[in-house]
Amino acid sequence: MKKILLLSAILLHAAANSQIHAGAKAGAGLNKINGTTFQDKFELGYHLGGFIYAEISDFAGIQAEVLFNQTNTSVQDRYSDVIDNAFKGSKTLNYVSVPLLLRLNSEGFITFTAGPQFSFLADSDKSITENGRKLFKKTDFSVLGGAEINLRPLTIYARYIWGFSDISEFGGRSNSSQIQIGAALRLF
């Protein structure tokens, strides 16, 4: 609780003493769930959402985002019989992700971003929603790092997301990895 209050105080101080920028972003994601139950390959998904950031100084800033992420994965063939069609070989998971990022060289041509990301399962395949909720945990904690090219008001970005949480309710420990590439439009 103390950390949340401290972070809130820092954000309020930054907002009071700096410029605030906000916008929308969208892009593609290559997602992979690592674990013995899942196929070890990246699958295409997408993400979209919005961001807001405050410049703390000429060099640094803090950025918060809310993103809708689609994660696709496939189960290993040998587990298909065990799950008895609950998984049907492939699965689409929809997450709402909230990254909180430190921005370095915030207003420069190239900006570096890094920080934690908290995601929670919003939905899974409509046809097997109940099974999907039983197969996967509701939350995922990750850390991400990336870079942006700023062409004001357009920004092109790439980032890598390392999942630390065990997201699977079956078949041993599994965590997620994701590569995101996209564009953001700064509205103000």
Side-chain angles (χ1 to χ4, degrees):
M1 185 67 173
K2 290 180 182 180
K3 291 179 182 179
I4 292 172
L5 291 174
L6 178 62
L7 183 59
S8 298
I10 291 170
L11 288 174
L12 287 173
H13 175 74
N17 296 319
S18 65
Q19 284 189 308
I20 304 282
H21 303 286
K25 58 183 3 184
L30 293 172
N31 315 290
K32 176 171 67 167
I33 297 179
N34 301 314
T36 57
T37 308
F38 301 97
Q39 290 184 2
D40 191 18
K41 65 178 185 175
F42 282 98
E43 296 200 27
L44 187 63
Y46 68 90
H47 62 276
L48 56 96
F51 66 91
I52 185 166
Y53 74 87
E55 298 170 25
I56 298 172
S57 69
D58 290 339
F59 184 72
I62 295 176
Q63 179 169 311
E65 301 176 0
V66 176
L67 300 172
F68 176 83
N69 282 313
Q70 180 192 70
T71 300
N72 297 306
T73 189
S74 298
V75 72
Q76 293 282 8
D77 292 336
R78 66 179 183 262
Y79 289 96
S80 298
D81 296 330
V82 175
I83 302 169
D84 193 30
N85 293 326
F87 208 78
K88 299 206 187 279
S90 64
K91 185 79 177 144
T92 298
L93 302 170
N94 298 317
Y95 285 93
V96 174
S97 301
V98 182
L100 182 60
L101 307 173
L102 175 64
R103 296 173 52 86
L104 299 178
N105 197 25
S106 188
E107 288 297 303
F109 178 68
I110 296 178
T111 300
F112 298 98
T113 58
Q117 173 175 286
F118 184 73
S119 302
F120 47 103
L121 185 62
D123 196 3
S124 56
D125 284 339
K126 298 289 185 198
S127 62
I128 53 174
T129 300
E130 289 302 315
N131 290 330
R133 290 189 184 270
K134 291 177 185 174
L135 296 174
F136 294 92
K137 294 181 181 174
K138 295 180 183 178
T139 59
D140 184 17
F141 176 74
S142 307
V143 174
L144 68 88
E148 303 176 348
I149 298 174
N150 301 308
L151 306 170
R152 306 285 186 268
L154 184 68
T155 299
I156 299 167
Y157 62 91
R159 54 174 66 161
Y160 189 83
I161 302 167
W162 296 271
F164 287 104
S165 300
D166 179 10
I167 62 171
S168 178
E169 291 284 9
F170 71 101
R173 182 168 175 78
S174 300
N175 50 349
S176 63
S177 300
Q178 188 175 75
I179 299 169
Q180 288 183 343
I181 299 171
L185 180 62
R186 189 168 95 175
L187 303 174
F188 61 87

